[in-house]
Amino acid sequence: LFALCPSIACGGGNARFVAVLLVSIPALLVCCIFAQFAGLKVADFAASVFAMAAVWPFALLRATGEQLVVLLHILRNLGKILICPKMSSRISLKSYIVDFCGMLLREGVTSPQLTSEQVAEKCLGRGNSSALKGRVAIVTGSSGSLGLEHARILLKYGCHVVFAVRSPGKATALIEDMKAREEMSGSSSVLPVDLDDLSSIRPFVDSFLKLGLPLNYLVNNAGIMTPKEFRASKQGFETQFATNHLAHFLLTELLMPKLRETRRSGAVARIVILSSAGSALCKNVDMDRCVPPAPEAYNGTAEYGISKAMNLFHCRELQRRCATDGISCCAVHPGVIHTGLTREGNADSTVLYDSILFKWMHKEVAQGAATQVYCTLSDQVPSEIEHGTCFWYNCGPQKAVGVAAPGVRDDLCGKVWVISESLVEKFR
């Protein structure tokens, strides 16, 4: 078994040659100790060592080859930033290396490795299953990954969670499964919405309002990442722009009266928007040319960066407009997490998951959802916003970087709002 460890470490197509070294050397020492105390025959022990030695070269060559492919793609990407108009018009070497990669590095180095469960316990008290009784949350994309984990935590502490999903049957089955596995003191509703179709937003909001519930938490969680080819939404917008930003912009606008009503009653009201470190990919964006993105200029990575920058611009403008209402608005970077987000992703997203440069900073889903849970539940959030925070990761306030950061292109907060309003006007 010890001899097979290196092979297992490099299995599944994942390049983990560092794991080979870290696992195999102590494995060899354990084999020696075991041989001495268990009285193994010399031939048996020699066979196990030989098996380990046989695995090493193949595992190492395979892992090294995969890393070389990933490295070549990174270099190719840097070249495209310099010479390809589709990327160079929206991404620069500085925004890619210093802002984007720099933020990922800071996030990885400073990560507290907290889970959403640990954050909730800190905010609400361990076992306090009625802490959120009477509160209501809408979570988009709550039938999987981060959204499902976020919804699970809220249900566990007594919140009524509205699952805003494209597949109600799938969400209903997931809810039943969660209730079978652990006690959930909260209740739930499942309402259909397709964020790739702006015409589905108003019917969703009308269905929610008919429930007669308050709205304490609006969690704009759903998103897609770097499709290989241009794909149009039902209204013809580039699908990342439509799903990640425009649909959530419309949803937030239509629900704002309910959020204000809830806040006026004395209850908490918050908006949590999932942005990303990808927001730092954008350099000084020409809004008139890039929003909405045109099919002939499509680059999946650039469009993802723009959509995530839109999320941050949206959050900042919401903070300004909601300041007198007492509604807290947060933009969140969850981290580098293996979710369904990359199932259609291009090679740029693969780099984040297969390159040893980034693999060490990967988070599990429960860790990735921790920051959005923090922004939903922590009593510290209002004061953090008062001190100028608009961006959170690693379960705390952070400095935003890139074109959407405060002090860079503050004028674009208002411009994003005006453009977005004009695009969704007929769907109100």
Side-chain angles (χ1 to χ4, degrees):
L1 288 177
F2 280 116
L4 287 173
C5 282
S7 180
I8 294 169
C10 286
N14 293 322
R16 301 178 181 176
F17 64 84
V18 170
V20 174
L21 300 178
L22 294 180
V23 171
S24 297
I25 293 173
L28 181 58
L29 294 176
V30 171
C31 282
C32 293
I33 296 170
F34 185 77
Q36 181 178 355
F37 287 97
L40 283 180
K41 294 180 181 179
V42 175
D44 293 335
F45 178 62
S48 66
V49 173
F50 175 78
M52 184 184 299
V55 166
W56 263 35
F58 296 107
L60 195 58
L61 284 173
R62 178 182 174 185
T64 304
E66 290 174 351
Q67 289 302 306
L68 287 174
V69 170
V70 171
L71 178 60
L72 287 173
H73 179 77
I74 293 174
L75 295 175
R76 176 174 168 269
N77 231 17
L78 296 177
K80 286 169 65 178
I81 290 172
L82 291 174
I83 63 175
C84 176
K86 292 181 180 181
M87 290 191 75
S88 61
S89 62
R90 287 160 288 183
I91 301 176
S92 67
L93 286 178
K94 176 187 176 296
S95 65
Y96 186 85
I97 298 173
V98 178
D99 296 338
F100 172 62
C101 293
M103 184 189 296
L104 290 179
L105 180 62
R106 286 192 297 275
E107 184 234 332
V109 169
T110 62
S111 175
Q113 300 296 314
L114 293 174
T115 66
S116 53
E117 194 82 57
Q118 291 170 322
V119 170
E121 288 178 359
K122 186 175 181 180
C123 293
L124 303 174
R126 187 170 187 176
N128 188 5
S129 60
S130 62
L132 300 178
K133 185 177 178 60
R135 298 189 185 183
V136 178
I138 293 175
V139 184
T140 66
S142 44
S143 60
S145 302
L146 299 177
L148 181 61
E149 174 67 8
H150 196 160
R152 183 188 72 82
I153 292 295
L154 295 175
L155 283 170
K156 187 172 181 177
Y157 284 87
C159 188
H160 181 99
V161 179
V162 177
F163 286 67
V165 295
R166 189 165 47 187
S167 304
K170 177 183 176 182
T172 301
L174 287 167
I175 293 168
E176 292 304 315
D177 181 61
M178 284 192 297
K179 289 180 177 179
R181 286 187 285 109
E182 60 181 327
E183 184 176 349
M184 298 286 178
S185 59
S187 54
S188 61
S189 303
V190 180
L191 298 177
V193 65
D194 183 357
L195 297 174
D196 202 41
D197 182 2
L198 293 175
S199 67
S200 74
I201 307 299
R202 168 52 76 179
F204 168 84
V205 172
D206 290 341
S207 296
F208 171 73
L209 294 177
K210 287 177 183 176
L211 297 176
L213 298 170
L215 180 56
N216 303 96
Y217 311 116
L218 173 58
V219 184
N220 293 335
N221 165 82
I224 55 177
M225 182 179 181
T226 64
K228 297 179 179 69
E229 304 293 337
F230 180 91
R231 191 168 76 235
S233 70
K234 298 295 189 298
Q235 285 71 42
F237 300 115
E238 191 276 319
T239 189
Q240 293 180 97
F241 175 74
T243 301
N244 297 352
H245 168 64
L246 206 56
H248 282 125
F249 177 88
L250 176 59
L251 178 66
T252 303
E253 281 296 280
L254 295 179
L255 289 170
M256 191 58 72
K258 177 58 70 173
L259 285 161
R260 289 192 171 106
E261 177 188 303
T262 301
R263 186 70 188 99
R264 284 196 298 269
S265 72
V268 65
R270 294 186 184 180
I271 301 168
V272 179
I273 301 173
L274 255 71
S275 181
S276 167
S279 63
L281 282 168
C282 295
K283 65 175 185 178
N284 202 351
V285 179
D286 184 341
M287 296 289 291
D288 297 315
R289 289 179 54 207
C290 297
V291 179
E296 61 273 10
Y298 179 77
N299 176 273
T301 303
E303 310 312 345
Y304 179 74
I306 287 176
S307 72
K308 291 295 141 180
M310 299 301 104
N311 293 152
L312 185 48
F313 282 129
H314 182 206
C315 173
R316 292 180 57 201
E317 185 66 9
L318 277 171
Q319 285 186 343
R320 188 184 71 81
R321 291 172 180 251
C322 296
T324 57
D325 297 317
I327 299 173
S328 300
C329 307
C330 309
V332 171
H333 164 56
V336 181
I337 307 147
H338 272 296
T339 69
L341 188 67
T342 59
R343 61 183 174 271
E344 300 178 79
N346 63 18
D348 294 342
S349 57
T350 302
V351 167
L352 294 178
Y353 296 96
D354 288 347
S355 172
I356 196 170
L357 297 175
F358 299 106
K359 188 177 289 289
W360 60 274
M361 63 180 68
H362 288 183
K363 293 179 178 177
E364 300 297 327
V365 168
Q367 295 170 328
T371 301
Q372 59 198 78
V373 169
Y374 173 89
C375 288
T376 304
L377 302 178
S378 175
D379 292 336
Q380 302 300 314
V381 168
S383 64
E384 289 166 357
I385 293 174
E386 288 179 7
H387 286 87
T389 302
C390 62
F391 196 65
W392 282 257
Y393 61 81
N394 283 346
C395 305
Q398 307 291 343
K399 181 181 178 181
V401 298
V403 68
V408 180
R409 286 297 306 275
D410 295 343
D411 60 301
L412 292 183
C413 294
K415 189 161 188 175
V416 166
W417 191 281
V418 170
I419 292 174
S420 302
E421 272 194 325
S422 67
L423 295 175
V424 303
E425 182 59 38
K426 64 180 179 180
F427 300 100
R428 286 180 173 277

